[in-house]
Amino acid sequence: MTSSPNVVVVNMFTPSYKNLNFKYPTQNKVHSATMNMFDYYADVKKKAFFMLDYFQGKFGKEKEMNIMFENGEYATKDEIEKRKKQYEKYIENSNIEKLVISFPDGYLEQSVDIKKFEKDMAKHIIPMFLKKCGYDDIKNMSYQFALHTDQDNLHFHLSFCEKKPNYKSFGNKLSYRNSGKLSQKELGFLKNEIEHYIEKEKVFTPLLKETNKEILETLINCSEVS
């Protein structure tokens, strides 16, 4: 675990079939844990009522589910089922890294536009993090995450794996990453990137809104004068 007063990152993993361990001694255990992960992430019940207006009532009524993929868009039920089938292949050789990223009560929702933050997580922060972890080509990584609000503080569940050998080992040779949990240095990088993003947004987002408001008021006044 790595933490600060504002961001806490906890890491665990489900091993590949080739890396079975005491907690996951059989392939059936690995398969069950991996498939259940998607249903847990996408569970609309993990959303608190006060966030429903943010999600515009889509989840559970339309096709979009409470889980985001690499493209920064919410996945559909069909896309989730397709991804489950992909992971049935991936887990033969790749560990599934799982992280929980949590924030103090009020910190995230009062500091950023959460929709924008999620998109930037998908397209910028997570790819930078995976590069820091030693993975070579982001296109050969699969990842997904979900925001849960069913507890006192908001938290993300994030998981990822390799589609094919993509970890830089000795001599820059690409292989599957066999080690289990991520290092504190790697987790610290993710924590710092997230906290830096949020602190920057806390300063510049209100300033931008105020500036835009002033520009709009000036244009209205000029229009009335003319």
Side-chain angles (χ1 to χ4, degrees):
M1 180 178 72
T2 184
S3 64
S4 79
N6 295 322
V7 184
V8 176
V9 180
V10 179
N11 174 221
M12 59 214 80
F13 75 99
T14 301
S16 68
Y17 290 166
K18 292 187 176 180
N19 293 318
L20 298 177
N21 59 26
F22 180 77
K23 185 175 181 180
Y24 295 95
T26 66
Q27 292 184 4
N28 285 339
K29 287 273 190 180
V30 171
H31 183 273
S32 178
T34 304
M35 297 303 109
N36 291 341
M37 173 184 75
F38 290 100
D39 296 330
Y40 180 76
Y41 281 20
D43 187 357
V44 68
K45 295 178 182 178
K46 299 297 179 182
K47 294 293 179 185
F49 288 110
F50 78 90
M51 294 292 285
L52 289 182
D53 58 336
Y54 157 60
F55 291 103
Q56 301 175 338
K58 287 185 176 180
F59 300 128
K61 297 181 181 179
E62 297 182 9
K63 292 183 178 180
E64 288 184 341
M65 303 297 290
N66 177 32
I67 185 170
M68 186 169 283
F69 290 169
E70 299 87 354
N71 61 2
E73 302 294 334
Y74 296 112
T76 65
K77 290 182 179 179
D78 288 343
E79 288 169 338
I80 293 172
E81 292 305 313
K82 180 180 178 181
R83 181 150 293 201
K84 285 182 179 180
K85 292 180 180 179
Q86 292 171 338
Y87 270 63
E88 287 182 343
K89 178 65 176 178
Y90 298 157
I91 59 178
E92 293 179 8
N93 298 292
S94 177
N95 294 339
I96 312 297
E97 293 289 347
K98 300 176 180 178
L99 298 90
V100 179
I101 306 163
S102 58
F103 311 89
D105 185 23
Y107 176 67
L108 185 65
E109 59 269 41
Q110 294 174 13
S111 303
V112 301
D113 178 330
I114 295 182
K115 287 185 179 181
K116 180 177 181 295
F117 177 58
E118 286 182 319
K119 285 185 176 292
D120 286 336
M121 278 271 289
K123 295 184 176 182
H124 302 295
I125 296 175
I126 294 175
M128 283 193 302
F129 166 60
L130 294 176
K131 281 287 188 180
K132 183 67 175 180
C133 290
Y135 296 104
D136 181 58
D137 189 342
I138 299 302
K139 294 192 295 295
N140 291 329
M141 301 299 295
S142 175
Y143 57 88
Q144 51 277 314
F145 62 95
L147 175 64
H148 285 182
T149 64
D150 57 325
Q151 298 180 10
D152 291 338
N153 56 321
L154 302 188
H155 59 281
F156 284 97
H157 290 271
L158 163 66
S159 61
F160 63 87
C161 75
E162 299 169 74
K163 300 178 183 179
K164 57 192 295 187
N166 196 41
Y167 183 71
K168 292 181 181 178
S169 56
F170 294 107
N172 282 330
K173 181 180 178 181
L174 295 181
S175 62
Y176 286 103
R177 178 169 178 157
N178 291 321
S179 59
K181 290 185 178 180
L182 303 172
S183 70
Q184 289 298 305
K185 184 176 181 180
E186 291 164 337
L187 297 175
F189 177 85
L190 177 61
K191 178 196 74 69
N192 290 337
E193 287 299 316
I194 290 174
E195 188 166 13
H196 175 72
Y197 177 97
I198 294 172
E199 292 300 318
K200 183 178 67 175
E201 289 293 303
K202 283 175 64 176
V203 174
F204 290 105
T205 299
L207 179 62
L208 179 61
K209 289 181 179 179
E210 184 63 29
T211 300
N212 289 337
K213 179 181 177 182
E214 291 176 358
I215 292 173
L216 180 61
E217 290 175 349
T218 300
L219 290 174
I220 292 174
N221 291 335
C222 289
S223 176
E224 291 176 349
V225 171
S226 61

